[in-house]
Amino acid sequence: MGGGGAFSVACTAQMQIFIQTLVTGIVTGCLYALIALGYSMVYGVLKLLNFAHGDLYMVGAFIGYFAIQWFGGATALIIPVPLLIIFMMVVAGLGVGALGVAIERFAYRPLRNAPRIAPLITALGISFILEDSVLLLFGGFTRNYNAPAFLPFRQSIHIDGVNIWSVQIIVVVVSVVMMFGLRELVNRTLFGKSMRAVASDREAAEMLGVNVDRTIAMTFFIGSAMAGVAGVMSGLAFGQISNIIGFLAGLKAFTAAVVGGIGSIPGAMIGGLVIGLCESFSSSYISSQYSDLIVFALLIATMLVRPQGVFGQPPLQKV
Amino acid sequence: MAPIGVDEWVARSGDRREQNSGWRGLLARLDSRVGWWPRLVLVGLFALVYGKLLVGSNINYAQTGFNVVLYAILALGLNIVVGWAGLLDLGYIAFFGAGAYIYALFSSHAFGNLPLSTGGVQLPVVATIPIAVVGVGILGLVIGLVALRLSGDYLAIVTLFVGQAFAEAVNNVAPGTLGGANGLFGLKGFHVGSAMIGSTLGYYWFAVIVLLILMAFLHLLDTSRTGRAWRALRDDPLAAEVMTIPVNKVKVMAFTFGAIVAALAGTMFAAQQSSVFSTNFSAQTLILIYACLVLGGAGSIAGAVLGGVVVTVSQQLLSSPIDSAYLFYGILVIVLVARVRPWRHLAAVVAAIVGFGFGVHAIVGAISHRAIAGSPGSSGWFAGALRHFVIVPAGSPLTYGNLLYVAMICMIIGVVQLKGIRRLVAVVPTVYVAICCWEARLTLDPGITAQIMIGAILIVTMAARPEGLLGTRRVEVL
C-alpha cells in the first residue's frame, strides 16, 4: 500500500514521528471519548460523578478476552475474525450495559433524594467492589489478548514510513460511528428527547409524563455499553488487560468529559481527542513519565480558566 | 426555638428520640445527660486502658491501636473540610502525603548527597513537625485559594486530580531525592537529642495525646464563630454571604486547617513506618479515610473518631481467619435482625435457613459424596458447626467458589428488588449462598475480601443511613 496519494511527497523523519504520534493520539483519544460519553450522559441525567464507570470499561475488556478464549483462543479460532470482533463488541456491550443498569437499580436508585455526597461515596464503593471482584474471580496478573495472532489485517498500512495498523482503523471507525449514532439518538428519538428533559429538570419531566426511571436506566445502559465496547477495542489495540486498568482510564476519560464540558456530548468527543493527543504528544516529545502529570495539569488549568469546560454551560443558580 | 438555619423537624429530632421507649430511649436520655468534656475524658480513659493492655502483648495490637488513632486523626481533619465547611475535597490524601514526605526528607539520607551535609538532614522532631505543618498549611492555603473559583462537583474534580498529581509527582519527579517508586526508607523516628520514640506503643501514646488535644481544639473551634461560619457556608453559601460571612476567607481557612491536621498525621505515619512510598498515598487510602468519615457521620467529631475505630478495626479483623469469620457472621446476624421484622418472621427465616442448608447438604451428599467432601474455610468451632451445613467440594476448587460469588452478587441484587413475602422467601437461599461462598471462596483471599467488604460497607451505609452512625440528618436546600 506504500505511497498513498496524499503522502506521495517523501516525509522527513521528524514528520514521520509527528504523524505516528498523531495517529496514536487519535486512537487513544477515541477510546477516551467513548468512555467520557458515558460519564457525561450519566452526569447529565443524575448529576452524579460515576467513579465506577472506568471499572465498567475494565469489565468490558475482560468480557472480550473471554470471548476470544471461548472461540478457541487466539491461535486456533473456530470462527472468522470479523465475526469474532463483532461478537466481542456485542457481548461486551450488552453485558456491561446490563451491569450498568444493575448497578443503577441496586446502588444509585435508592439514593435519588439523598444528600449529594451519598451517591458519590457509593460510586467509590462500587468501584472498589468491581475491581476487587475481578481480582478475586480472575486473579491479578496481566492477560494478553494476543491480537496479532488472529488479526490477519493487523498488518499495518505503510505510508512513507508511518505505520497505521488496521486495528487502529477499526477503533476510529467504530468510535466515530457510535458517537454519531449517539448524537442522532439523543437529538432525533423519543428516548433522546426524554433524556434531555430529565437532564434539564427531572421533576418537571416526571410531571409531563416522562418515565424517569426507565430513562435513567436506559442512559446507564447506553453509557455502560459504550464503555464495554471501548474496553474490547482497547484490548485489541493495546493487547494487555488487568483488573486495575479501569481506574486510570476512567480518570483520563473523566478529564476528557470535564475538559469538553461535562454533560455535553460533542464536548466529550472533542475532550477525548484532546486528552489522547495531549498524552501521546507529551509522551513522545517530552517524557513518557510525565505524560499523566501533563494531562492532569491540563485539566486543572482548564477548570481554573473555564470551570464549566470548553463546551459546557455554566450552571444556573436558582435562589 | 430551633437553631438558626436548621429545619424545625430536624431540630426536634432529639425530642422525638427521647420519647422513644425501651433501650433506645434510655440510651438517648443517657447520651443527653453526659456533656462533651466528660466524653473526651472517657475517650482518653479508653485509650489509656487499651494502651495498658497492650504492654507486652502482640505487636500487631499496638499497630492496630496506632492505625486506629491515625485514621481517627485523618478523619477529623477531613471532617473540617467536608463535614463542616461542606467542601468536597478529594485531594486530601495529597496533604497527608506531603506531610509524610516533608518529614521523610528532613529525617533521612534523602539530602545526603547534597554538599552541605553528609548523611542527610536529620533534624529533631521539634523542628520537622513545624516545618511539615507550616509547609503543608501553605500548600492547603494555595489549593484553597485556587478552589475559590470552583464549587460543588467541580471542586471535587479538581481536588481529585491534585491528589492524583501528587502521587504521580512523587513517583516521577526527582527520583534521586524523592526515591521514585522505591520511596524513602530508613527514616529516623521522632527524636529530641538522644531521646527517641522507639516502639510502636510509643507512637501509639504520642498519637493518642495528639488526638485528645486535637479533639478538644476542634470542639472549641466547632462552637466558635468560625465553626458557625463554616456550617453556614455548608448549608447555603449564598445565604452565608448575604449574612456578611466572609465566604472566601472561611473556605480557605477550612482547607488550611484540614491540610495541617493531615500533615500532622503524615509525620506520625512516616516516623512510625520509618519509610514512605508513593503507593501509601493512593486513591485507596483516600477512600478508606472517606469511609471512616461517612460511616461515623460527617460533621461530628465523635463520629469521625468512631468511624476511624470501626473501619480500622474491621480491616484488622478481616486479615485473620477466625476474627473475619466473627465479623462476617456478626454482620449477617445484625442485618437479619435489623431488616427482618417482626420477630416471628425472623424466627421463621432463621429456621428456614438452617433447614434449607442441612436439606441441600443432605441431597447433594446423597447424589455425590465428593461434592461435600471439602472442609469450610473458617477455623475454630465455626468449622465444626458448619461441616454438615455448607457445600464445599473436595479440594474446594476455585471455579466453584467463583460461581458462588457471582451467584451471591446476583441474588443480593435480586433480593433488594423484591418486596414483602417474596423477599422473605428469597432471603433464605441468598443467606445460604452467602455462607457457602464465604466458606468456599472468600476466606481463601482475605486481602481481597477485606477490600470488597470496605466497598460493601460504604454502599450499605449510604443506603441505610447516609448521615452516618453519629451524624445528624440535614434538609438540603436545592
Side-chain angles (χ1 to χ4, degrees):
Chain A
M1 291 277 288
F7 288 94
S8 55
V9 188
C11 292
T12 60
Q14 273 114 5
M15 198 64 189
Q16 280 168 11
I17 293 175
F18 179 81
I19 294 173
Q20 194 75 65
T21 314
L22 191 71
V23 170
T24 318
I26 288 174
V27 171
T28 333
C30 281
L31 292 178
Y32 288 152
L34 280 187
I35 313 173
L37 282 171
Y39 256 123
S40 234
M41 286 164 67
V42 167
Y43 187 86
V45 293
L46 276 188
K47 301 288 172 285
L48 159 72
L49 297 175
N50 184 11
F51 284 116
H53 198 73
D55 294 298
L56 291 175
Y57 152 88
M58 178 269 296
V59 172
F62 269 85
I63 292 179
Y65 175 81
F66 288 114
I68 300 175
Q69 301 306 311
W70 187 274
F71 286 111
T75 46
L77 283 180
I78 52 171
I79 58 165
V81 172
L83 211 61
L84 172 76
I85 291 181
I86 292 170
F87 178 80
M88 281 162 84
M89 286 182 183
V90 169
V91 171
L94 291 179
V96 176
L99 184 63
V101 173
I103 290 173
E104 193 271 327
R105 270 209 84 142
F106 176 72
Y108 298 143
R109 194 174 289 181
L111 299 177
R112 291 268 171 82
N113 297 317
R116 288 295 298 279
I117 191 174
L120 202 71
I121 302 289
T122 302
L124 291 174
I126 296 274
S127 160
F128 244 57
I129 288 193
L130 281 179
E131 226 167 84
D132 288 294
S133 297
V134 171
L135 183 64
L136 184 82
L137 296 179
F138 308 125
F141 54 91
T142 305
R143 283 158 198 270
N144 213 321
Y145 258 57
N146 286 324
F150 67 89
L151 278 182
F153 46 94
R154 190 180 166 94
Q155 297 148 354
S156 49
I157 302 166
H158 300 276
I159 303 171
D160 279 337
V162 178
N163 292 327
I164 300 175
W165 289 328
S166 308
V167 69
Q168 293 179 317
I169 297 174
I170 298 177
V171 169
V172 173
V173 169
V174 172
S175 310
V176 169
V177 168
M178 283 181 77
M179 287 176 207
F180 279 93
L182 181 71
R183 203 187 69 173
E184 294 304 298
L185 187 75
V186 171
N187 287 340
R188 299 275 169 90
T189 63
L190 192 63
F191 160 70
K193 211 178 226 175
S194 51
M195 191 181 120
R196 281 178 287 143
V198 172
S200 97
D201 190 331
R202 194 196 306 157
E203 277 179 15
E206 194 157 23
M207 281 175 214
L208 292 174
V210 174
N211 188 339
V212 171
D213 281 347
R214 194 191 292 159
T215 308
I216 291 177
M218 193 68 191
T219 309
F220 263 86
F221 182 83
I222 294 172
S224 311
M226 291 178 95
V229 174
V232 169
M233 291 198 296
S234 89
L236 289 174
F238 304 124
Q240 294 193 319
I241 57 167
S242 75
N243 71 315
I244 50 166
I245 57 170
F247 185 72
L248 198 62
L251 218 54
K252 298 266 183 61
F254 182 40
T255 317
V258 171
V259 166
I262 196 155
S264 140
I265 289 175
M269 300 182 202
I270 292 167
L273 282 179
V274 168
I275 297 297
L277 288 172
C278 182
E279 190 183 305
S280 82
F281 275 97
S282 57
S283 58
S284 87
Y285 284 95
I286 304 171
S287 150
S288 61
Q289 281 183 326
Y290 293 127
S291 72
D292 286 352
L293 257 183
I294 290 169
V295 171
F296 294 160
L298 175 81
L299 172 106
I300 295 173
T302 315
M303 294 297 292
L304 293 179
V305 179
R306 208 179 143 79
Q308 70 275 24
V310 180
F311 290 88
Q313 300 290 321
L316 280 178
Q317 199 171 11
K318 291 172 207 160
V319 181
Chain B
M1 200 188 100
I4 293 163
V6 177
D7 181 90
E8 200 187 343
W9 186 84
V10 177
R12 278 200 276 111
S13 70
D15 304 345
R16 280 198 309 280
R17 197 174 303 134
E18 204 151 14
Q19 285 159 9
N20 278 349
S21 55
W23 59 275
R24 285 182 167 210
L26 191 74
L27 271 185
R29 277 191 295 280
L30 207 67
D31 184 61
S32 63
R33 297 241 172 90
V34 186
W36 200 87
W37 294 103
R39 283 183 215 199
L40 185 66
V41 174
L42 275 181
V43 173
L45 279 178
F46 184 76
L48 188 75
V49 172
Y50 185 78
K52 279 291 173 203
L53 288 177
L54 285 180
V55 179
S57 74
N58 191 340
I59 180 81
N60 278 339
Y61 291 119
Q63 185 67 50
T64 309
F66 175 76
N67 285 348
V68 164
V69 182
L70 184 78
Y71 275 94
I73 293 173
L74 282 169
L76 279 175
L78 190 63
N79 181 42
I80 301 175
V81 193
V82 179
W84 289 346
L87 304 165
L88 201 49
D89 177 10
L90 293 179
Y92 184 69
I93 197 74
F95 301 133
F96 177 47
Y101 263 91
I102 291 177
Y103 175 82
L105 284 177
F106 287 111
S107 3
S108 72
H109 53 82
F111 288 146
N113 32 17
L114 293 185
L116 66 151
S117 65
T118 49
V121 187
Q122 308 229 340
L123 298 177
V125 63
V126 284
T128 13
I129 292 186
I131 291 175
V133 163
V134 172
V136 177
I138 292 171
L139 185 69
L141 191 73
V142 171
I143 291 177
L145 284 173
V146 168
L148 287 183
R149 285 182 57 88
L150 307 162
S151 61
D153 292 333
Y154 295 109
L155 179 69
I157 296 165
V158 167
T159 49
L160 176 70
F161 283 94
V162 169
Q164 288 303 307
F166 172 80
E168 287 285 330
V170 290
N171 227 351
N172 293 317
V173 177
T177 310
L178 292 174
N182 294 328
L184 291 169
F185 43 86
L187 310 184
K188 215 161 178 199
F190 281 169
H191 61 112
V192 183
S194 61
M196 180 168 168
I197 302 182
S199 67
T200 309
L201 196 60
Y203 284 104
Y204 169 74
W205 288 122
F206 186 87
V208 165
I209 293 167
V210 170
L211 176 71
L212 292 178
I213 295 174
L214 190 67
M215 282 174 78
F217 173 73
L218 288 180
H219 177 66
L220 293 176
L221 195 64
D222 187 24
T223 47
S224 76
R225 194 179 156 88
T226 313
R228 287 195 299 273
W230 278 335
R231 274 172 283 139
L233 172 70
R234 172 193 70 193
D235 289 339
D236 191 338
L238 195 65
E241 197 160 9
V242 173
M243 301 298 278
T244 72
I245 289 171
V247 168
N248 286 347
K249 203 172 119 193
V250 294
K251 265 189 192 175
V252 175
M253 263 179 85
F255 259 97
T256 315
F257 272 110
I260 287 174
V261 174
L264 206 58
T267 57
M268 286 190 285
F269 173 77
Q272 196 271 328
Q273 193 182 244
S274 88
S275 55
V276 283
F277 306 100
S278 61
T279 46
N280 291 143
F281 313 108
S282 63
Q284 302 237 320
T285 318
L286 177 74
I287 294 173
L288 219 53
I289 303 172
Y290 261 90
C292 298
L293 184 64
V294 299
L295 187 70
S300 145
I301 295 177
V305 175
L306 181 72
V309 175
V310 171
V311 170
T312 323
V313 169
S314 24
Q315 261 214 322
Q316 181 66 33
L317 289 182
L318 283 169
S319 65
S320 112
I322 181 77
D323 290 343
S324 65
Y326 282 124
L327 191 70
F328 174 76
Y329 290 107
I331 290 177
L332 206 61
V333 168
I334 290 173
V335 169
L336 281 181
V337 169
R339 300 301 298 179
V340 184
R341 285 195 185 148
W343 65 268
R344 267 177 271 110
H345 286 183
L346 181 66
V349 165
V350 171
I353 291 170
V354 173
F356 184 82
F358 284 111
V360 171
H361 185 91
I363 294 170
V364 173
I367 296 168
S368 153
H369 188 68
R370 271 184 60 78
I372 53 164
S375 52
S378 295
S379 49
W381 59 272
F382 279 125
L386 292 169
R387 194 79 184 76
H388 299 289
F389 181 72
V390 295
I391 300 171
V392 183
S396 144
L398 286 186
T399 325
Y400 168 72
N402 288 347
L403 284 175
L404 271 185
Y405 180 76
V406 174
M408 177 183 78
I409 298 279
C410 294
M411 288 171 93
I412 290 174
I413 292 177
V415 162
V416 175
Q417 307 305 324
L418 294 174
K419 293 268 179 294
I421 193 78
R422 287 186 190 170
R423 178 184 280 191
L424 280 186
V425 173
V427 158
V428 176
T430 308
V431 171
Y432 182 67
V433 167
I435 293 175
C436 283
C437 178
W438 176 265
E439 295 298 339
R441 185 71 187 92
L442 291 175
T443 44
L444 303 183
D445 278 312
I448 303 173
T449 306
Q451 303 279 2
I452 293 175
M453 294 281 270
I454 292 285
I457 287 173
L458 283 178
I459 296 170
V460 171
T461 313
M462 284 299 113
R465 211 178 139 82
E467 70 273 26
L469 293 174
L470 295 183
T472 32
R473 179 165 285 208
R474 295 197 305 273
V475 174
E476 287 218 334
V477 188
L478 288 176

